[in-house]
PDB file of all heavy atoms in Angstrom:
ATOM      1  N   LEU A 225     184.182 133.340 233.348  1.00 90.00           N
ATOM      2  CA  LEU A 225     184.182 133.369 231.884  1.00 90.00           C
ATOM      3  C   LEU A 225     185.576 133.215 231.271  1.00 90.00           C
ATOM      4  O   LEU A 225     185.740 132.413 230.344  1.00 90.00           O
ATOM      5  CB  LEU A 225     183.503 134.654 231.385  1.00 90.00           C
ATOM      6  CG  LEU A 225     183.308 134.775 229.886  1.00 90.00           C
ATOM      7  CD1 LEU A 225     182.356 133.683 229.391  1.00 90.00           C
ATOM      8  CD2 LEU A 225     182.760 136.147 229.537  1.00 90.00           C
ATOM      9  N   PRO A 226     186.608 133.928 231.727  1.00 84.00           N
ATOM     10  CA  PRO A 226     187.936 133.731 231.113  1.00 84.00           C
ATOM     11  C   PRO A 226     188.457 132.305 231.257  1.00 84.00           C
ATOM     12  O   PRO A 226     189.107 131.775 230.352  1.00 84.00           O
ATOM     13  CB  PRO A 226     188.836 134.712 231.869  1.00 84.00           C
ATOM     14  CG  PRO A 226     187.924 135.726 232.435  1.00 84.00           C
ATOM     15  CD  PRO A 226     186.635 135.025 232.694  1.00 84.00           C
ATOM     16  N   PHE A 227     188.167 131.661 232.387  1.00 86.00           N
ATOM     17  CA  PHE A 227     188.628 130.283 232.575  1.00 86.00           C
ATOM     18  C   PHE A 227     187.873 129.325 231.664  1.00 86.00           C
ATOM     19  O   PHE A 227     188.448 128.352 231.172  1.00 86.00           O
ATOM     20  CB  PHE A 227     188.471 129.871 234.044  1.00 86.00           C
ATOM     21  CG  PHE A 227     189.332 130.686 234.961  1.00 86.00           C
ATOM     22  CD1 PHE A 227     188.778 131.701 235.716  1.00 86.00           C
ATOM     23  CD2 PHE A 227     190.692 130.447 235.051  1.00 86.00           C
ATOM     24  CE1 PHE A 227     189.565 132.462 236.569  1.00 86.00           C
ATOM     25  CE2 PHE A 227     191.488 131.196 235.885  1.00 86.00           C
ATOM     26  CZ  PHE A 227     190.934 132.214 236.644  1.00 86.00           C
ATOM     27  N   VAL A 228     186.610 129.619 231.422  1.00 87.00           N
ATOM     28  CA  VAL A 228     185.825 128.776 230.517  1.00 87.00           C
ATOM     29  C   VAL A 228     186.305 128.963 229.085  1.00 87.00           C
ATOM     30  O   VAL A 228     186.479 128.002 228.336  1.00 87.00           O
ATOM     31  CB  VAL A 228     184.312 129.105 230.640  1.00 87.00           C
ATOM     32  CG1 VAL A 228     183.514 128.399 229.561  1.00 87.00           C
ATOM     33  CG2 VAL A 228     183.812 128.733 232.021  1.00 87.00           C
ATOM     34  N   LEU A 229     186.553 130.212 228.687  1.00 83.00           N
ATOM     35  CA  LEU A 229     186.968 130.496 227.313  1.00 83.00           C
ATOM     36  C   LEU A 229     188.405 130.073 227.033  1.00 83.00           C
ATOM     37  O   LEU A 229     188.703 129.558 225.956  1.00 83.00           O
ATOM     38  CB  LEU A 229     186.816 131.987 227.005  1.00 83.00           C
ATOM     39  CG  LEU A 229     185.398 132.536 226.936  1.00 83.00           C
ATOM     40  CD1 LEU A 229     185.421 134.031 226.702  1.00 83.00           C
ATOM     41  CD2 LEU A 229     184.602 131.840 225.849  1.00 83.00           C
ATOM     42  N   PHE A 230     189.315 130.325 227.985  1.00 81.00           N
ATOM     43  CA  PHE A 230     190.735 130.117 227.724  1.00 81.00           C
ATOM     44  C   PHE A 230     191.364 129.042 228.598  1.00 81.00           C
ATOM     45  O   PHE A 230     192.580 128.916 228.645  1.00 81.00           O
ATOM     46  CB  PHE A 230     191.500 131.431 227.911  1.00 81.00           C
ATOM     47  CG  PHE A 230     190.969 132.538 227.062  1.00 81.00           C
ATOM     48  CD1 PHE A 230     190.397 133.645 227.651  1.00 81.00           C
ATOM     49  CD2 PHE A 230     191.016 132.466 225.688  1.00 81.00           C
ATOM     50  CE1 PHE A 230     189.900 134.667 226.880  1.00 81.00           C
ATOM     51  CE2 PHE A 230     190.522 133.478 224.907  1.00 81.00           C
ATOM     52  CZ  PHE A 230     189.953 134.597 225.503  1.00 81.00           C
ATOM     53  N   GLY A 231     190.568 128.254 229.297  1.00 79.00           N
ATOM     54  CA  GLY A 231     191.105 127.208 230.147  1.00 79.00           C
ATOM     55  C   GLY A 231     191.669 126.058 229.323  1.00 79.00           C
ATOM     56  O   GLY A 231     191.479 125.954 228.113  1.00 79.00           O
ATOM     57  N   GLY A 232     192.398 125.184 229.974  1.00 73.00           N
ATOM     58  CA  GLY A 232     192.960 124.023 229.282  1.00 73.00           C
ATOM     59  C   GLY A 232     194.158 124.404 228.435  1.00 73.00           C
ATOM     60  O   GLY A 232     195.004 125.172 228.845  1.00 73.00           O
ATOM     61  N   ASN A 233     194.231 123.838 227.231  1.00 76.00           N
ATOM     62  CA  ASN A 233     195.378 124.050 226.351  1.00 76.00           C
ATOM     63  C   ASN A 233     195.187 125.164 225.344  1.00 76.00           C
ATOM     64  O   ASN A 233     196.066 125.400 224.532  1.00 76.00           O
ATOM     65  CB  ASN A 233     195.710 122.744 225.617  1.00 76.00           C
ATOM     66  CG  ASN A 233     196.168 121.659 226.571  1.00 76.00           C
ATOM     67  OD1 ASN A 233     196.754 121.970 227.604  1.00 76.00           O
ATOM     68  ND2 ASN A 233     195.898 120.409 226.240  1.00 76.00           N
ATOM     69  N   ARG A 234     194.045 125.792 225.358  1.00 78.00           N
ATOM     70  CA  ARG A 234     193.790 126.862 224.379  1.00 78.00           C
ATOM     71  C   ARG A 234     194.615 128.092 224.700  1.00 78.00           C
ATOM     72  O   ARG A 234     194.769 128.482 225.851  1.00 78.00           O
ATOM     73  CB  ARG A 234     192.309 127.236 224.357  1.00 78.00           C
ATOM     74  CG  ARG A 234     191.469 126.165 223.695  1.00 78.00           C
ATOM     75  CD  ARG A 234     190.066 126.636 223.556  1.00 78.00           C
ATOM     76  NE  ARG A 234     189.343 126.077 224.712  1.00 78.00           N
ATOM     77  CZ  ARG A 234     188.136 126.393 225.061  1.00 78.00           C
ATOM     78  NH1 ARG A 234     187.477 127.291 224.372  1.00 78.00           N
ATOM     79  NH2 ARG A 234     187.558 125.839 226.089  1.00 78.00           N
ATOM     80  N   GLN A 235     195.149 128.716 223.678  1.00 83.00           N
ATOM     81  CA  GLN A 235     195.929 129.939 223.828  1.00 83.00           C
ATOM     82  C   GLN A 235     195.014 131.153 223.701  1.00 83.00           C
ATOM     83  O   GLN A 235     194.031 131.132 222.956  1.00 83.00           O
ATOM     84  CB  GLN A 235     197.013 130.024 222.744  1.00 83.00           C
ATOM     85  CG  GLN A 235     198.080 128.963 222.867  1.00 83.00           C
ATOM     86  CD  GLN A 235     198.969 129.211 224.071  1.00 83.00           C
ATOM     87  OE1 GLN A 235     199.053 130.319 224.583  1.00 83.00           O
ATOM     88  NE2 GLN A 235     199.631 128.158 224.529  1.00 83.00           N
ATOM     89  N   MET A 236     195.383 132.203 224.431  1.00 80.00           N
ATOM     90  CA  MET A 236     194.627 133.450 224.282  1.00 80.00           C
ATOM     91  C   MET A 236     194.978 134.071 222.932  1.00 80.00           C
ATOM     92  O   MET A 236     196.125 133.997 222.499  1.00 80.00           O
ATOM     93  CB  MET A 236     194.982 134.448 225.391  1.00 80.00           C
ATOM     94  CG  MET A 236     194.370 134.106 226.713  1.00 80.00           C
ATOM     95  SD  MET A 236     194.399 135.459 227.902  1.00 80.00           S
ATOM     96  CE  MET A 236     196.088 135.900 227.990  1.00 80.00           C
ATOM     97  N   PRO A 237     194.008 134.707 222.296  1.00 84.00           N
ATOM     98  CA  PRO A 237     194.296 135.392 221.030  1.00 84.00           C
ATOM     99  C   PRO A 237     195.313 136.517 221.259  1.00 84.00           C
ATOM    100  O   PRO A 237     195.380 137.101 222.349  1.00 84.00           O
ATOM    101  CB  PRO A 237     192.944 135.970 220.610  1.00 84.00           C
ATOM    102  CG  PRO A 237     191.931 135.186 221.366  1.00 84.00           C
ATOM    103  CD  PRO A 237     192.595 134.745 222.623  1.00 84.00           C
ATOM    104  N   HIS A 241     196.232 139.356 224.517  1.00 87.00           N
ATOM    105  CA  HIS A 241     197.547 139.574 225.135  1.00 87.00           C
ATOM    106  C   HIS A 241     197.944 141.041 225.045  1.00 87.00           C
ATOM    107  O   HIS A 241     198.467 141.611 226.011  1.00 87.00           O
ATOM    108  CB  HIS A 241     198.615 138.723 224.443  1.00 87.00           C
ATOM    109  CG  HIS A 241     198.788 137.375 225.037  1.00 87.00           C
ATOM    110  ND1 HIS A 241     199.238 137.172 226.317  1.00 87.00           N
ATOM    111  CD2 HIS A 241     198.563 136.141 224.525  1.00 87.00           C
ATOM    112  CE1 HIS A 241     199.297 135.887 226.560  1.00 87.00           C
ATOM    113  NE2 HIS A 241     198.880 135.227 225.492  1.00 87.00           N
TER     114      HIS A 241
END
Side-chain angles (χ1 to χ4, degrees):
L225 185 64
F227 296 103
V228 171
L229 292 177
F230 304 115
N233 295 330
R234 287 186 263 170
Q235 294 289 339
M236 285 195 305
H241 270 295

